[in-house]
Amino acid sequence: MVRTRLGERLVKEGLITPAQLEMALKEQERTCELLGEIIYRLGFATKEAITKALAAEAGMEFVSLKEVTISENLKRLVSKEFARKHKVIPIGFSNGVLKIATPNIFAIKTIDELQNTTGHFVEVVATSEEELFQTLNHCYGNAISRVECGPAEGILEAEIEETIQKLEKEGDVGNTAEAGTAPPMVKLMDLLIAYAIQSEATDLHIEPEENLIRTRYRIDGVLQQGPALPKRLQSAITVRAKIMSGMNISETRIPQDGRIKTTVGDKIIDIRVNSFPTAFGETVAMRLLDKEKLIRGLESLGFSPANLEKFEEAISNPYGIILVTGPTGSGKTTTLYSALACLSSLERKIITVEDPIEYELPIIRQSQVNPKAGFTFAAGLRAILRQDPNIIFVGEIRDGETADIAVQSALTGHLVFSTLHTNDAVGAIPRLLDLGVEPFLVASALISVLAQRLVRVICKQCKEEISPDPLRLKNLGWDGQLTTCYKGKGCPACRNTGHKGRVGLYELLTVTPELSELIEKRANNNTIRSLALNQGMKTLKDDGLEKVKLGVTTLEEVQKVVMRRS
């Protein structure tokens, strides 16, 4: 009964659809999992939304920890180790009652243990896992994994160093399969990956140099130095990475691709692996794909209210083409996957052709291009049309054939999503024309174009107000538009970078009848852009200025990604 009530509440609040609840209940009959876990695993709702619904059903308060101050006395009541292990944090103490916040609101054993340890009655309130770990990081000083409150960062580094020393004592390490399966080497690679997950890195790079192996982690879009490994471990660690990802360990002359699927805590982490031969040996790049971060509610991506309303209206169209543009690493996949997850239902058939498949999505039929076998974007798109889809996602429009089929599909009753590499939203139009699509077809098929970039978010724990740099304001053309801005001064929670997380900047071009006329006439970019601005389009720079004013990001971050003429 409790499980059904949770589902009904999520439907009532508009967080999932009745069809999604029906699918989750059928999956529950098959697996006997908790309904909330199934809904999260299928990507229908976030953990925070499920926790809020569970708390409301239980009559429990849900609190945000952003404004909560944790005193030293409170921290002494609950040890760092206990807080980390059981995902709890003390937020109040009055009249012998200790109030704790946790995302695991039904952890009865944890509550009993805490009452026995402290000698106080424990009152539980719910909170989000994201805010819990941010607050733990701030209060207790150590970086703590969002995935699983495992060892603190310093402990992991010590474990990595200890494992390296153990490997060095064991003598020569070869490049055979046995070397890659030796327990210390297995542990070392697991620790390097755990360190990446704990640091919330998107990529782990293992890079051989002349005298050492350098590891680097991409955190919030910026590479940061990781543990350095002895050169003599190079062959063994490369072999280990290849074994884990299913590559050929005997082939070292050509690049290879592989994949690792692992579970950390209650999260499924996909790792896309690539090996690449260099002058000092093979370098290994690992892209860590966390489903919770990849598929998010559109409202959490950073859209302004106006842009969110327009984008949601665009994707609700029954047919037409929607393009997302931007350079590699600008968050296009996250936006498109989030849109597809929003549209996914039992009543719609959604098929994708991707290169590569970033993450497996429930209900949606996904395919991977294979040019060697003749399965290109164009071939895949042509075949998809015979599968009777409602919605099609083409990973990228790279050539005229793919562009032509995508546009024709959009005009014959299909909603098509795809990406282009252009500098701004308006630039997608001449790009389609350059690929050979007729202007009247572009004008008829195109619904909207979303250009986007990612900027780092100011750390909430160490945010401070500053005066804006006049030179930066002048370079951005913002003279007189900004009197106050913010930056992060650096703290343990953000590893002294002043930034924690990333958010999107968006430029959304909606194709109106007036714009369609200009497209048909092959009007130049400046003319189209001028009309779009008059009709209310906000540029990437405009969106950046708004986020600077709101204290979300910094002038420096916006200046890095926006064009001077935007």
Side-chain angles (χ1 to χ4, degrees):
M1 292 297 293
V2 173
R3 296 174 182 176
T4 304
R5 287 200 299 270
L6 167 66
E8 290 172 350
R9 180 175 289 275
L10 291 171
V11 171
K12 183 179 179 180
E13 294 179 1
L15 297 169
I16 64 173
T17 65
Q20 289 173 331
L21 174 59
E22 180 185 350
M23 178 178 294
L25 289 170
K26 288 180 179 178
E27 179 72 3
Q28 185 185 43
E29 290 177 5
R30 186 180 68 83
T31 65
C32 297
E33 292 176 81
L34 294 173
L35 184 63
E37 293 177 359
I38 294 171
I39 290 171
Y40 166 69
R41 175 165 58 80
L42 291 176
F44 295 157
T46 63
K47 279 191 173 181
E48 181 174 345
I50 294 168
T51 302
K52 283 183 177 179
L54 285 169
E57 188 61 41
M60 186 179 291
E61 181 186 2
F62 186 95
V63 302
S64 171
L65 298 177
K66 292 178 181 177
E67 306 301 326
V68 173
T69 301
I70 314 296
S71 68
E72 290 298 324
N73 289 334
L74 278 175
K75 285 192 280 185
R76 280 193 284 269
L77 288 173
V78 180
S79 70
K80 175 174 62 177
E81 292 73 19
F82 188 95
R84 183 169 65 243
K85 180 180 178 181
H86 297 286
K87 301 182 183 179
V88 301
I89 192 161
I91 62 170
F93 182 76
S94 178
N95 299 323
V97 177
L98 174 63
K99 181 184 282 190
I100 65 162
T102 177
N104 301 332
I105 58 177
F106 298 123
I108 306 299
K109 289 184 178 179
T110 297
I111 297 167
D112 288 344
E113 185 177 343
L114 191 56
Q115 288 185 156
N116 292 333
T117 302
T118 63
H120 301 298
F121 180 78
V122 173
E123 177 188 349
V124 180
V125 298
T127 192
S128 74
E129 193 172 66
E130 180 79 34
E131 288 190 7
L132 173 81
F133 288 122
Q134 288 179 354
T135 308
L136 284 173
N137 288 345
H138 177 63
C139 290
Y140 290 111
N142 286 324
I144 298 172
S145 170
R146 289 185 63 252
V147 176
E148 179 181 47
C149 274
E153 183 179 272
I155 297 174
L156 262 184
E157 289 179 331
E159 278 198 73
I160 291 172
E161 185 60 35
E162 181 183 332
T163 306
I164 292 170
Q165 291 175 3
K166 185 173 182 180
L167 281 164
E168 289 200 295
K169 289 178 182 177
E170 291 186 352
D172 290 337
V173 180
N175 61 354
T176 63
E178 289 76 14
T181 57
M185 184 54 65
V186 171
K187 182 179 181 181
L188 177 60
M189 182 60 79
D190 288 347
L191 287 170
L192 291 173
I193 293 173
Y195 189 90
I197 294 169
Q198 184 182 71
S199 305
E200 299 187 11
T202 56
D203 301 84
L204 162 61
H205 296 268
I206 302 172
E207 305 167 324
E209 298 185 2
E210 186 174 5
N211 300 311
L212 57 82
I213 306 168
R214 189 183 302 279
T215 65
R216 293 195 289 174
Y217 296 84
R218 190 174 294 279
I219 302 171
D220 295 335
V222 178
L223 282 172
Q224 297 184 20
Q225 183 68 40
L229 310 178
K231 181 71 173 177
R232 57 189 301 278
L233 300 181
Q234 179 176 323
S235 295
I237 200 162
T238 303
V239 167
R240 179 59 196 160
K242 288 183 173 182
I243 289 173
M244 293 177 70
S245 55
M247 296 183 194
N248 182 355
I249 65 172
S250 63
E251 180 57 75
T252 61
R253 301 164 298 172
I254 60 174
Q256 294 187 64
D257 291 301
R259 201 153 195 153
I260 301 168
K261 193 166 189 175
T262 185
T263 301
V264 181
D266 56 358
K267 289 183 178 234
I268 297 173
I269 304 293
D270 260 1
I271 304 175
R272 200 171 73 228
V273 187
N274 174 265
S275 68
F276 187 82
T278 68
F280 295 113
E282 291 177 282
T283 181
V284 176
M286 295 186 173
R287 168 66 56 87
L288 286 80
L289 303 169
D290 181 350
K291 179 180 179 181
E292 187 173 348
K293 292 181 179 178
L294 197 61
I295 308 170
R296 300 160 59 187
L298 291 173
E299 69 283 350
S300 69
L301 298 180
F303 283 103
S304 67
N307 275 344
L308 178 60
E309 183 180 353
K310 290 178 183 177
F311 190 66
E312 287 179 332
E313 182 180 346
I315 67 174
S316 67
N317 278 276
Y319 61 88
I321 186 165
I322 296 170
L323 297 174
V324 179
T325 78
T328 301
S330 60
K332 299 188 297 295
T333 299
T334 298
T335 300
L336 287 166
Y337 272 25
S338 298
L340 291 179
C342 179
L343 295 170
S344 180
S345 73
L346 291 174
E347 290 76 30
R348 294 189 183 100
K349 183 164 185 176
I350 303 176
I351 306 182
T352 77
V353 54
E354 307 173 54
D355 183 24
I357 295 174
E358 294 279 5
Y359 205 94
E360 296 170 7
L361 300 168
I363 314 175
I364 297 170
R365 308 280 73 83
Q366 295 171 268
S367 61
Q368 166 85 47
V369 300
N370 186 352
K372 290 182 180 178
F375 186 37
T376 60
F377 279 120
L381 183 51
R382 194 180 296 108
I384 282 175
L385 295 175
R386 296 192 286 271
Q387 288 286 317
D388 187 32
N390 300 100
I391 299 171
I392 300 169
F393 169 41
V394 186
E396 183 183 346
I397 294 177
R398 296 177 179 173
D399 53 62
E401 186 180 9
T402 306
D404 185 60
I405 300 171
V407 170
Q408 293 292 345
S409 302
L411 292 172
T412 53
H414 304 90
L415 183 61
V416 180
F417 292 89
S418 192
T419 68
L420 279 175
H421 286 285
T422 63
N423 288 326
D424 59 5
V426 173
I429 295 169
R431 176 62 179 147
L432 287 174
L433 298 180
D434 289 344
L435 289 171
V437 183
E438 292 294 335
F440 72 93
L441 293 177
V442 175
S444 301
L446 193 60
I447 298 172
S448 63
V449 184
L450 179 72
Q452 66 178 76
R453 300 290 188 275
L454 290 178
V455 291
R456 291 186 293 173
V457 175
I458 299 170
C459 175
K460 295 181 177 65
Q461 308 293 351
C462 59
K463 182 177 176 179
E464 63 179 7
E465 186 176 315
I466 60 169
S467 298
D469 181 345
L471 182 58
R472 289 190 187 278
L473 290 177
K474 183 178 179 181
N475 289 338
L476 287 164
W478 287 347
D479 290 350
Q481 296 188 55
L482 194 66
T483 56
T484 302
C485 58
Y486 302 85
K487 74 167 188 177
K489 61 182 178 181
C491 67
C494 62
R495 294 178 177 80
N496 295 311
T497 63
H499 298 92
K500 184 74 171 175
R502 289 191 291 176
V503 71
L505 300 185
Y506 298 99
E507 177 179 295
L508 181 60
L509 170 71
T510 301
V511 180
T512 62
E514 295 81 10
L515 277 172
S516 292
E517 289 183 15
L518 290 182
I519 294 170
E520 283 194 54
K521 295 175 182 176
R522 287 186 179 267
N524 62 43
N525 275 18
N526 289 336
T527 303
I528 294 174
R529 184 183 182 83
S530 178
L531 177 59
L533 291 172
N534 288 336
Q535 292 182 339
M537 183 184 80
K538 300 296 183 183
T539 66
L540 287 167
K541 191 165 70 174
D542 293 334
D543 199 29
L545 174 60
E546 188 60 32
K547 286 182 170 66
V548 171
K549 286 180 177 178
L550 293 172
V552 174
T553 191
T554 65
L555 281 170
E556 293 86 346
E557 284 295 302
V558 174
Q559 189 176 27
K560 285 178 187 176
V561 300
V562 302
M563 293 187 301
R564 209 175 273 274
R565 59 185 293 272
S566 62

